[in-house]
Amino acid sequence: MHPTLSPAASQPLSLLRKGARAVVAGMAGAAGDEERAVQLRLRELGFVPGETVRVVAVSFPGADPIAVRVGATTFALRRFEAAMVQVIPS
């Protein structure tokens, strides 16, 4: 967790609604090597503490995947991937 971002106020990115903005606070705990590998990839894509993100689209039906903008790039994330990113809504 980023030292300046309160973990108590964070929630999974997967819970944000379309159009919502947030700041990445960190990653949720990983249960194994596979989840750690996914989290590493997410960090490499730019989901790092302090970065602003915005949910730009939600798939229909099922709301999976979601489109998330980080900087000038938009990524499609499965809900389970987005659930690994802890954010603070802004």
Side-chain angles (χ1 to χ4, degrees):
M1 198 66 58
H2 193 274
T4 61
L5 300 173
S6 170
S10 69
Q11 68 178 55
L13 173 60
S14 60
L15 296 181
L16 291 182
R17 294 175 184 247
K18 181 181 174 185
R21 293 178 187 271
V23 175
V24 175
M27 293 288 167
D33 290 342
E34 189 172 320
E35 284 189 13
R36 278 189 283 280
V38 172
Q39 290 182 356
L40 174 61
R41 184 164 193 295
L42 290 168
R43 285 191 294 271
E44 290 172 345
L45 293 175
F47 293 90
V48 295
E51 190 67 46
T52 299
V53 296
R54 181 170 59 99
V55 176
V56 295
V58 176
S59 176
F60 179 81
D64 193 21
I66 62 173
V68 180
R69 180 163 293 230
V70 180
T73 307
T74 302
F75 298 99
L77 299 180
R78 295 285 181 192
R79 287 269 170 195
F80 81 92
E81 296 167 328
M84 294 182 188
V85 181
Q86 292 291 306
V87 298
I88 298 172
S90 53

